[in-house]
Amino acid sequence: MERESARDDGPFGGGVAIVVVAAGSSTRFGTDKLAVHLGGRSVLERAVAAVRAPFPCAPVVVVVRAADVEAQRERWQPLGVRVIAGGPRRQDSVRLGCEAVAADDETVLVIHDGARPFVPEDDVRAVAAAAAKVGAALLAAPVVDTIKRVSERTVTRTVPRANLVRALTPQAFRAGVLRRAWGLAGQREWTDESALVEATGNDVAVVPGDPRNVKVTRLEDLDALRGVFPRLTRVGQGVDVHPFAPDRALWLCGIEVPSEVGLAGHSDADAPLHAVTDAILGAIGAGDIGEHFPPGDERWHNARSHVFVRHAVALAVAAGFALVHCDVTIVAEQPRISPYRLAMRERLAELLGLPVGDVSVKATTCEGLGFVGRREGLVALAIVSLERP
Ligand code: MG
């Protein structure tokens, strides 16, 4: 039944099936590298999505460590991806994956490393098309460094690099070609399926691939990939209105501003800080200030509003975000803001953990119109932006 849908994939008459191997132990990495996030998605999620992109109807199997099968099934089954346990060596995991998709000999098996989160869609399509034609194909990138053969600490030879390439994945094979190679190779070891097929006398087509298709092996590899994936950026807005009231202090952006009237409210009624709090909560989808600090709650009676801002910042940090910018506008006929603008920016910068240059406070009047024009109250607006690396 799966094969029927795979037949939709254009020139691939025998269909396409995808195997992603993610059963390694990450010993060189120190932590589970496949779970590390790049631009908001894990390395493995990106690897599967990338190799699947040109063949959305093809059956996909992800091969993981036996201990991870249950957790990964929960993650992948709703997306139509099968998850199976791998074997002791990479080659065993690949073979188990290929057998699990039960392909007939003409099906093109596209085999990809779960640790390669970036491969362009066109590269995947090209290597699969070459395999459909020749029987076996791999993606390869040029070698740019000069390669030396060494013995202990001495160079024994400089290797001409004109005919050298770096083997990437995906590699692709007609299932029948792989099956013949497995039969001939017995229990020998090989580092990739291309090596296996080469050793058994089959041609393997070389398809030029994007050199940024790196395998995440060390922590430093992630730095190279951060240039490939955009950071996740969020913007949030907040608006707050408070009426003026006699016998109240006037707090704006955490600064007490000398004034004959203050703002009425349950807390210190610092409307700009309430707007900033709501903007941060909005950016991370965490509700609004009234939900976190109910106005009827005695704990927040006359509370200083920096408490609310700090709470929202802590939630953003816990969600993996960092503040990058904040812009506040105060709409009021009184008081004049400009004498206090720098102090307000400095206080906001301190609360948000930002340089003062990334925090803006602006003011405008309402030209005598409406409740602001009648000096009954003021409006505060805030926009914040956050990034998750
Ligand atoms: Mg308020």
Side-chain angles (χ1 to χ4, degrees), residues 113-150:
D113 288 330
R116 291 185 189 268
F118 172 77
V119 56
E121 190 174 330
D122 286 347
D123 287 12
V124 180
R125 195 178 286 111
V127 76
K133 206 167 151 191
V134 179
L138 64 79
L139 282 179
V143 172
V144 290
D145 298 311
T146 298
I147 303 293
K148 307 283 185 183
R149 189 179 295 283
V150 297

Side-chain angles (χ1 to χ4, degrees), residues 325-385:
H325 164 259
C326 173
D327 183 20
V328 170
T329 302
I330 298 167
V331 189
E333 303 292 327
Q334 62 180 25
R336 285 190 63 224
I337 299 299
S338 57
Y340 309 99
R341 188 202 307 270
L342 181 59
M344 290 174 178
R345 291 174 64 202
E346 285 173 344
R347 179 62 177 145
L348 265 177
E350 187 193 335
L351 291 174
L352 302 174
L354 288 175
V356 176
D358 295 337
V359 175
S360 154
V361 175
K362 314 192 298 297
T364 184
T365 71
C366 224
E367 303 286 347
L369 297 171
F371 72 89
V372 172
R374 293 191 297 272
R375 299 172 184 249
E376 292 168 8
L378 60 70
V379 182
L381 305 104
I383 284 187
V384 297
S385 40

Side-chain angles (χ1 to χ4, degrees), residues 43-110:
V43 168
L44 180 58
E45 284 169 337
R46 288 212 174 266
V48 173
V51 72
R52 224 185 168 185
F55 305 111
C57 300
V60 186
V61 60
V62 176
V63 190
V64 302
R65 281 174 295 198
D68 298 337
V69 167
E70 231 166 281
Q72 294 289 349
R73 271 194 188 142
E74 254 173 59
R75 168 75 191 80
W76 290 106
Q77 263 173 355
L79 302 173
V81 174
R82 285 186 64 191
V83 174
I84 63 164
R89 300 167 298 180
R90 182 187 183 281
Q91 68 191 64
D92 303 317
S93 297
V94 170
R95 191 165 177 176
L96 289 166
C98 293
E99 282 163 2
V101 288
D104 70 25
D105 279 357
E106 288 309 304
T107 299
V108 173
L109 291 166
V110 177

Side-chain angles (χ1 to χ4, degrees), residues 231-299:
R231 287 161 177 266
L232 188 63
T233 301
R234 291 274 185 84
V235 172
Q237 67 165 356
V239 180
D240 198 26
V241 174
H242 279 261
F244 286 121
D247 306 321
R248 291 271 298 178
L250 178 62
W251 288 94
L252 296 171
C253 296
I255 300 295
E256 188 173 358
V257 177
S259 167
E260 283 174 11
V261 289
L263 289 171
H266 184 65
S267 64
D268 65 6
D270 190 327
L273 289 193
H274 297 179
V276 169
T277 303
D278 255 355
I280 297 168
L281 294 174
I284 61 171
D288 61 25
I289 189 170
E291 225 172 277
H292 291 264
F293 304 98
D297 191 327
E298 264 313 295
R299 278 178 299 168

Side-chain angles (χ1 to χ4, degrees), residues 29 36-39 43 46 115-119 166 210-231:
F29 201 76
V36 170
H37 275 68
L38 287 163
V43 168
R46 288 212 174 266
R116 291 185 189 268
F118 172 77
V119 56
R166 292 188 293 124
D210 192 314
R212 295 173 297 175
N213 173 357
V214 300
K215 186 171 180 177
V216 176
T217 308
R218 300 174 202 83
L219 269 175
E220 306 86 272
D221 299 330
L222 291 171
D223 294 333
L225 286 161
R226 288 204 167 102
V228 175
F229 298 111
R231 287 161 177 266

